[in-house]
Amino acid sequence: MEQKITMTDPRKSDYFYEEAIKTLRTNIQFMGKEIKTILFTSCYPNEGKSDILFQLAKEIGKTGKKVLVVDADIRKSVYVKRYRVNQSVNGLSQYLSGQIDKQWIEYITNFENVSMIFAGPMAPNPSELLEEGIFAELLQEKRRQYDYVLIDTPPMMNIIDAAVVAKKCDGAVMVIESELVSYRMAQKVQSQLQKSGCRILGAVLNKVDTKREKYYSYYSKYSK
Ligand SMILES: Nc1ncnc2c1ncn2[C@@H]1O[C@H](COP(=O)(O)OP(=O)(O)OP(=O)(O)O)[C@@H](O)[C@H]1O
Ligand SMILES: [Mg+2]
C-alpha cells in the first residue's frame, strides 16, 4: 500500500546555496556505496540541519537515486508545517511505540525519488524510542530499499538522541553555523559522535556571509 503526500518547499531559489548543496551531494556520492544511512546533526539548535538535509534529498533524488528522509527529531519536528503538508500523517514515534504498523509511516512525496518518514507526535521518551532495536531494524531495512537514507536529529548540545541514532548509521554530517560554534564545541560534538562508533563524513559550514566569504555554504572534510 503506497501512501502519497504533497510537500511545498518554501525556500526561494538561491544560486550559491543550490551550488553548495550540489557540492555536498557530490561529496557524499564519492564516499562510496557503503555509506547509505547518514545522520545530520549540529551543536546548537537552528544551525540549518533540517533545511540542508531536505534540499540535499531533493538534489540526490534528481540524479535518479532513491532517497528516504527520516525525521528522528521527535522533540521538535518541522517538516509538516514547513513543507505545508495539508493532511494528517503518521510518524516514527507511533511506530517505535508500537501504535501503528511500519507500512503506515512511509510516504512518497511529490519530489522526484524522495520519500519521507515523519517524526510523528511528540513522545515523552524520544531517546528510549530511538534506542530500541526496532529502530535499528527499520534503518537496516530501508538501507536495503533506498540508495540513501538521510536522518534528521536534534542538536547534540544537551540532547543524547543524535548520539543514539549515530550508533545505527553509516556516517554523520555535522552542520556548523558560521561564527556561532567555537572550535572546542565542534570538537566536543565530533568526539561524542566518534564515541558512538559513527564515521564522521564531514562538516557543512552554514549561513556564511556571502558578501564577505563569497560562498554561501561550504563543505569540507575534517582534517585528522
Ligand atoms: N544558509 C542559511 N541562511 C540563512 N538562513 C538559514 C540558512 N539555513 C537555514 N536557515 C534558517 O535557519 C532556521 C533554522 O533552520 P533549520 O530548521 O534547518 O535548522 P535546524 O538546525 O534543523 O534547527 P533545529 O536544531 O531546531 O532542528 C530556519 O528558519 C532556516 O530558514
Ligand atoms: Mg531541525
Side-chain angles (χ1 to χ4, degrees):
M1 173 57 194
E2 284 182 350
Q3 307 186 100
K4 291 189 176 153
I5 43 140
T6 303
M7 297 171 93
T8 309
D9 193 345
R11 183 169 258 289
K12 293 193 187 74
S13 104
D14 178 318
Y15 176 77
F16 289 112
Y17 191 88
E18 284 156 26
E19 285 305 304
I21 294 289
K22 281 183 191 150
T23 307
L24 178 58
R25 180 200 69 202
T26 308
N27 285 332
I28 284 178
Q29 288 177 333
F30 273 110
M31 294 285 169
K33 63 177 189 305
E34 285 314 305
I35 304 292
K36 299 180 83 174
T37 49
I38 304 170
L39 151 126
F40 280 67
T41 193
S42 64
C43 301
Y44 303 112
N46 245 18
E47 294 192 64
K49 304 173 279 303
S50 302
D51 190 33
I52 289 172
L53 185 152
F54 197 73
Q55 301 306 326
L56 175 68
K58 279 169 54 185
E59 202 50 52
I60 294 176
K62 282 189 207 159
T63 67
K65 303 265 184 220
K66 282 186 71 184
V67 196
L68 176 67
V69 172
V70 178
D71 185 7
D73 189 351
I74 293 170
R75 296 167 196 269
K76 199 184 118 192
S77 177
V78 295
Y79 288 85
V80 168
K81 207 169 156 211
R82 184 172 293 172
Y83 298 101
R84 301 186 202 128
V85 177
N86 54 9
Q87 68 184 75
S88 75
V89 290
N90 301 312
L92 190 62
S93 63
Q94 289 155 298
Y95 171 62
L96 297 180
S97 58
Q99 298 177 55
I100 54 170
D101 201 71
K102 195 162 45 186
Q103 62 176 314
W104 303 115
I105 57 169
E106 201 171 321
Y107 293 86
I108 296 170
T109 77
N110 49 311
F111 296 112
E112 207 180 337
N113 297 314
V114 179
S115 292
M116 181 85 217
I117 291 182
F118 293 95
M122 166 81 179
N125 54 343
S127 323
E128 283 102 84
L129 289 179
L130 296 167
E131 190 89 62
E132 294 286 342
I134 70 166
F135 183 54
E137 283 160 27
L138 180 73
L139 288 182
Q140 282 311 310
E141 183 188 313
K142 298 304 158 197
R143 192 180 185 282
R144 290 190 294 272
Q145 294 170 351
Y146 287 87
D147 294 305
Y148 289 97
V149 180
L150 306 182
I151 304 142
D152 199 2
T153 62
M156 292 192 72
M157 194 180 52
N158 296 316
I159 307 171
I160 193 167
D161 300 11
V164 169
V165 176
K167 282 189 225 158
K168 306 168 166 44
C169 291
D170 301 330
V173 171
M174 266 176 74
V175 174
I176 296 178
E177 182 174 331
S178 172
E179 292 177 31
L180 174 79
V181 181
S182 69
Y183 182 71
R184 260 190 68 202
M185 191 60 203
Q187 267 193 325
K188 207 174 137 193
V189 168
Q190 182 186 12
S191 85
Q192 239 180 312
L193 280 170
Q194 275 163 344
K195 266 187 222 145
S196 67
C198 187
R199 180 171 157 196
I200 299 176
L201 304 176
V204 178
L205 190 61
N206 194 26
K207 305 195 192 182
V208 174
D209 185 343
T210 43
K211 288 179 203 84
R212 270 178 43 208
E213 311 273 347
K214 199 152 167 241
Y215 296 107
Y216 204 64
S217 165
Y218 174 75
Y219 181 78
S220 70
K221 270 183 99 163
Y222 267 122
S223 64
K224 282 262 155 50

Coordinates of all heavy atoms in Angstrom, one line a residue, residues 166-218:
A166 N 23.3 7.8 15.9 CA 24.6 7.7 15.3 C 25.2 6.3 15.3 O 25.8 5.8 14.4 CB 25.6 8.7 15.9
K167 N 24.9 5.6 16.4 CA 25.3 4.2 16.6 C 24.8 3.3 15.5 O 25.3 2.2 15.2 CB 24.8 3.6 17.9 CG 25.6 4.0 19.1 CD 25.1 3.2 20.3 CE 24.9 4.2 21.5 NZ 24.0 3.6 22.5
K168 N 23.6 3.7 14.9 CA 23.0 2.9 13.9 C 23.2 3.3 12.5 O 22.6 2.8 11.6 CB 21.5 2.9 14.2 CG 21.2 2.5 15.7 CD 19.7 2.8 16.0 CE 19.2 2.2 17.3 NZ 20.0 2.2 18.5
C169 N 24.0 4.3 12.3 CA 24.2 4.9 10.9 C 25.6 4.6 10.4 O 26.5 4.3 11.1 CB 24.1 6.4 11.0 SG 22.4 6.9 11.4
D170 N 25.7 4.7 9.0 CA 27.0 4.6 8.4 C 27.9 5.8 8.5 O 29.1 5.7 8.4 CB 26.8 4.3 6.8 CG 25.9 3.1 6.6 OD1 25.9 2.2 7.4 OD2 25.2 3.1 5.5
G171 N 27.3 6.9 8.7 CA 28.1 8.1 8.8 C 27.3 9.3 9.2 O 26.1 9.3 9.3
A172 N 28.0 10.4 9.6 CA 27.3 11.6 10.1 C 27.9 12.8 9.5 O 29.1 12.9 9.2 CB 27.5 11.7 11.7
V173 N 27.0 13.8 9.2 CA 27.5 15.1 8.7 C 27.1 16.1 9.8 O 26.0 16.2 10.4 CB 26.7 15.5 7.4 CG1 27.0 16.9 7.0 CG2 27.1 14.5 6.3
M174 N 28.1 16.9 10.2 CA 27.9 18.0 11.2 C 27.6 19.3 10.5 O 28.4 19.7 9.6 CB 29.2 18.2 12.0 CG 29.2 17.3 13.3 SD 30.7 17.6 14.1 CE 30.6 19.2 14.8
V175 N 26.5 19.9 10.8 CA 26.2 21.2 10.3 C 26.7 22.3 11.3 O 26.4 22.2 12.5 CB 24.7 21.4 10.0 CG1 24.4 22.8 9.6 CG2 24.3 20.4 8.9
I176 N 27.5 23.2 10.9 CA 28.0 24.2 11.8 C 27.7 25.6 11.3 O 28.0 25.9 10.1 CB 29.6 24.0 11.8 CG1 29.9 22.7 12.4 CG2 30.2 25.2 12.6 CD1 31.4 22.4 12.5
E177 N 27.1 26.4 12.1 CA 26.7 27.7 11.7 C 28.0 28.6 11.8 O 28.6 28.7 12.9 CB 25.6 28.3 12.6 CG 25.2 29.7 12.1 CD 24.0 30.2 12.9 OE1 23.1 29.4 13.3 OE2 23.9 31.4 13.0
S178 N 28.2 29.3 10.7 CA 29.4 30.2 10.7 C 29.4 31.2 11.8 O 28.4 31.8 12.1 CB 29.3 30.9 9.3 OG 30.3 31.8 9.2
E179 N 30.5 31.3 12.5 CA 30.7 32.3 13.5 C 29.9 32.1 14.8 O 29.8 33.0 15.6 CB 30.5 33.7 13.0 CG 31.6 34.1 12.0 CD 31.4 35.5 11.4 OE1 30.8 36.3 12.1 OE2 31.8 35.6 10.3
L180 N 29.2 30.9 14.9 CA 28.5 30.7 16.1 C 29.2 29.6 17.0 O 29.2 29.8 18.2 CB 27.1 30.1 15.7 CG 26.2 29.7 16.9 CD1 25.6 30.9 17.6 CD2 25.1 28.7 16.4
V181 N 29.7 28.6 16.3 CA 30.3 27.5 17.1 C 31.8 27.6 17.3 O 32.5 27.8 16.3 CB 29.9 26.2 16.3 CG1 30.4 25.0 17.0 CG2 28.4 26.1 16.1
S182 N 32.2 27.5 18.5 CA 33.7 27.5 18.7 C 34.3 26.2 18.3 O 33.7 25.2 18.2 CB 33.9 27.8 20.2 OG 33.5 26.6 21.0
Y183 N 35.6 26.3 18.1 CA 36.4 25.1 17.7 C 36.2 24.0 18.8 O 36.0 22.9 18.5 CB 37.8 25.5 17.5 CG 38.7 24.4 17.1 CD1 38.6 23.9 15.8 CD2 39.7 23.9 17.9 CE1 39.4 22.8 15.4 CE2 40.5 22.8 17.5 CZ 40.3 22.3 16.3 OH 41.1 21.3 15.9
R184 N 36.3 24.4 20.0 CA 36.2 23.5 21.1 C 34.9 22.7 21.2 O 34.8 21.5 21.4 CB 36.4 24.2 22.5 CG 37.8 24.0 23.0 CD 37.9 24.5 24.4 NE 37.1 23.7 25.4 CZ 36.7 24.1 26.6 NH1 36.9 25.4 26.9 NH2 36.1 23.3 27.4
M185 N 33.8 23.5 21.0 CA 32.5 22.9 21.0 C 32.3 21.9 19.8 O 31.8 20.8 20.0 CB 31.4 24.1 20.9 CG 30.0 23.6 21.1 SD 29.8 22.9 22.8 CE 28.4 21.9 22.5
A186 N 32.8 22.3 18.6 CA 32.7 21.5 17.5 C 33.5 20.2 17.7 O 33.0 19.1 17.4 CB 33.2 22.2 16.2
Q187 N 34.6 20.3 18.4 CA 35.4 19.1 18.7 C 34.7 18.2 19.7 O 34.8 17.0 19.6 CB 36.8 19.6 19.3 CG 37.8 19.7 18.3 CD 39.2 19.9 19.0 OE1 39.3 20.5 20.0 NE2 40.2 19.3 18.3
K188 N 34.0 18.8 20.6 CA 33.3 18.1 21.6 C 32.2 17.2 21.0 O 32.1 16.0 21.2 CB 32.6 19.0 22.6 CG 32.4 18.4 24.0 CD 31.9 19.4 25.0 CE 30.8 18.8 25.8 NZ 30.0 19.8 26.5
V189 N 31.5 17.8 20.0 CA 30.4 17.1 19.3 C 31.1 16.0 18.4 O 30.6 14.9 18.4 CB 29.6 18.0 18.5 CG1 28.7 17.3 17.5 CG2 28.7 18.9 19.4
Q190 N 32.2 16.3 17.8 CA 32.9 15.4 17.0 C 33.3 14.2 17.8 O 33.1 13.0 17.4 CB 34.1 16.0 16.4 CG 34.9 15.1 15.5 CD 36.2 15.8 15.0 OE1 36.7 16.8 15.6 NE2 36.9 15.2 14.0
S191 N 33.8 14.4 19.0 CA 34.3 13.2 19.8 C 33.1 12.4 20.4 O 33.2 11.2 20.5 CB 35.2 13.7 20.9 OG 34.5 14.1 22.1
Q192 N 32.0 13.1 20.6 CA 30.8 12.4 21.1 C 30.3 11.5 19.9 O 29.9 10.3 20.2 CB 29.7 13.4 21.3 CG 29.1 13.4 22.7 CD 28.0 14.5 22.8 OE1 28.2 15.7 22.4 NE2 26.9 14.1 23.4
L193 N 30.3 12.0 18.7 CA 29.9 11.2 17.6 C 30.8 10.0 17.4 O 30.4 8.8 17.2 CB 29.9 12.0 16.3 CG 28.6 12.9 16.1 CD1 28.9 13.8 14.9 CD2 27.4 12.0 15.9
Q194 N 32.1 10.3 17.5 CA 33.1 9.2 17.4 C 33.0 8.1 18.4 O 33.1 6.9 18.1 CB 34.5 9.8 17.4 CG 34.9 10.3 16.0 CD 36.1 11.2 16.0 OE1 36.5 11.7 17.0 NE2 36.7 11.4 14.8
K195 N 32.6 8.5 19.6 CA 32.4 7.6 20.7 C 31.3 6.6 20.4 O 31.3 5.4 20.8 CB 32.1 8.3 22.0 CG 33.4 8.5 22.8 CD 33.0 9.1 24.2 CE 34.0 10.2 24.6 NZ 33.3 11.3 25.3
S196 N 30.3 7.1 19.6 CA 29.2 6.2 19.3 C 29.6 5.3 18.1 O 28.8 4.5 17.6 CB 28.0 7.0 19.0 OG 28.2 7.8 17.8
G197 N 30.8 5.4 17.7 CA 31.3 4.5 16.6 C 30.9 4.9 15.2 O 31.0 4.1 14.3
C198 N 30.4 6.1 15.1 CA 29.9 6.6 13.8 C 31.1 7.3 13.1 O 31.8 8.1 13.6 CB 28.8 7.6 14.1 SG 28.0 8.1 12.6
R199 N 31.1 7.1 11.8 CA 32.1 7.7 11.0 C 31.7 9.1 10.7 O 30.5 9.3 10.2 CB 32.3 6.9 9.7 CG 33.4 7.5 8.8 CD 33.6 6.6 7.6 NE 34.2 7.3 6.5 CZ 34.2 6.9 5.3 NH1 33.8 5.7 5.0 NH2 34.8 7.6 4.3
I200 N 32.5 10.1 10.9 CA 32.1 11.5 10.6 C 32.6 11.8 9.1 O 33.7 11.7 8.8 CB 32.8 12.5 11.5 CG1 32.2 12.2 12.9 CG2 32.4 13.9 11.2 CD1 32.8 13.0 14.0
L201 N 31.6 12.0 8.3 CA 31.9 12.2 6.9 C 32.4 13.6 6.6 O 33.2 13.8 5.7 CB 30.6 12.0 6.0 CG 29.9 10.6 6.3 CD1 28.6 10.6 5.5 CD2 30.8 9.5 5.8
G202 N 32.0 14.6 7.4 CA 32.4 15.9 7.1 C 31.6 16.9 7.8 O 30.7 16.6 8.6
A203 N 31.8 18.2 7.5 CA 31.1 19.2 8.2 C 30.6 20.2 7.1 O 31.2 20.4 6.1 CB 31.9 20.0 9.2
V204 N 29.4 20.8 7.3 CA 28.9 21.8 6.4 C 28.9 23.1 7.2 O 28.4 23.2 8.3 CB 27.4 21.5 6.0 CG1 26.9 22.6 5.2 CG2 27.3 20.2 5.3
L205 N 29.6 24.1 6.7 CA 29.6 25.4 7.3 C 28.5 26.2 6.7 O 28.4 26.4 5.5 CB 31.0 26.1 7.0 CG 31.2 27.4 7.8 CD1 31.2 27.1 9.3 CD2 32.5 28.0 7.4
N206 N 27.5 26.5 7.5 CA 26.3 27.1 7.0 C 26.2 28.6 7.4 O 26.8 29.0 8.3 CB 25.1 26.3 7.6 CG 23.8 26.7 6.8 OD1 23.8 27.1 5.7 ND2 22.7 26.5 7.5
K207 N 25.3 29.3 6.7 CA 25.0 30.7 7.0 C 26.3 31.5 6.9 O 26.5 32.4 7.7 CB 24.3 30.9 8.3 CG 23.0 30.0 8.5 CD 22.2 30.5 9.7 CE 21.1 29.5 10.0 NZ 20.2 29.9 11.1
V208 N 27.1 31.2 5.9 CA 28.3 32.1 5.7 C 27.8 33.4 5.0 O 27.0 33.3 4.2 CB 29.3 31.3 4.8 CG1 30.4 32.2 4.5 CG2 29.7 30.0 5.5
D209 N 28.4 34.4 5.5 CA 28.1 35.7 4.9 C 28.6 35.8 3.4 O 29.8 35.8 3.2 CB 28.7 36.8 5.7 CG 28.3 38.2 5.2 OD1 27.9 38.3 4.1 OD2 28.5 39.2 6.0
T210 N 27.7 35.7 2.5 CA 28.2 35.5 1.1 C 28.9 36.8 0.6 O 29.8 36.7 -0.3 CB 27.0 35.3 0.1 OG1 25.9 36.2 0.5 CG2 26.5 33.9 0.2
K211 N 28.5 37.9 1.1 CA 29.2 39.1 0.6 C 30.7 39.1 1.0 O 31.5 39.5 0.3 CB 28.5 40.3 1.2 CG 27.1 40.5 0.5 CD 26.4 41.8 1.1 CE 24.9 41.6 0.9 NZ 24.2 40.8 1.9
R212 N 30.9 38.6 2.2 CA 32.3 38.6 2.7 C 33.0 37.4 2.2 O 34.2 37.5 1.9 CB 32.3 38.6 4.2 CG 32.3 40.0 4.8 CD 32.2 40.1 6.3 NE 33.1 39.1 6.9 CZ 32.9 38.5 8.1 NH1 31.8 38.9 8.8 NH2 33.7 37.6 8.6
E213 N 32.4 36.2 2.3 CA 33.1 35.0 2.1 C 33.0 34.4 0.7 O 33.6 33.4 0.4 CB 32.6 33.9 3.1 CG 32.5 34.4 4.5 CD 33.8 34.2 5.2 OE1 34.7 33.5 4.7 OE2 34.0 34.8 6.3
K214 N 32.1 35.0 -0.1 CA 31.9 34.6 -1.5 C 31.0 33.3 -1.6 O 30.1 33.3 -2.4 CB 33.2 34.3 -2.2 CG 33.1 34.3 -3.7 CD 34.4 34.7 -4.4 CE 34.3 34.3 -5.9 NZ 35.3 33.4 -6.3
Y215 N 31.2 32.4 -0.7 CA 30.3 31.2 -0.7 C 29.3 31.2 0.4 O 29.6 31.6 1.5 CB 31.2 29.9 -0.6 CG 32.1 29.8 -1.7 CD1 33.5 30.0 -1.5 CD2 31.7 29.4 -3.0 CE1 34.4 29.8 -2.6 CE2 32.5 29.3 -4.1 CZ 33.9 29.5 -3.9 OH 34.7 29.4 -4.9
Y216 N 28.1 30.7 0.0 CA 27.0 30.7 1.0 C 27.2 29.6 2.0 O 27.0 29.8 3.2 CB 25.8 30.4 0.2 CG 24.5 30.9 0.8 CD1 24.3 32.2 1.0 CD2 23.5 30.0 1.2 CE1 23.1 32.7 1.5 CE2 22.4 30.4 1.7 CZ 22.1 31.8 1.9 OH 21.0 32.2 2.4
S217 N 27.6 28.5 1.6 CA 27.7 27.3 2.4 C 28.8 26.5 1.8 O 29.0 26.5 0.6 CB 26.4 26.6 2.4 OG 26.5 25.3 2.9
Y218 N 29.5 25.8 2.7 CA 30.8 25.2 2.2 C 31.0 23.8 2.9 O 30.7 23.7 4.0 CB 31.9 26.1 2.5 CG 33.3 25.6 2.2 CD1 33.7 25.4 0.8 CD2 34.1 25.1 3.2 CE1 35.0 24.9 0.6 CE2 35.3 24.6 2.9 CZ 35.8 24.5 1.6 OH 37.0 24.0 1.3

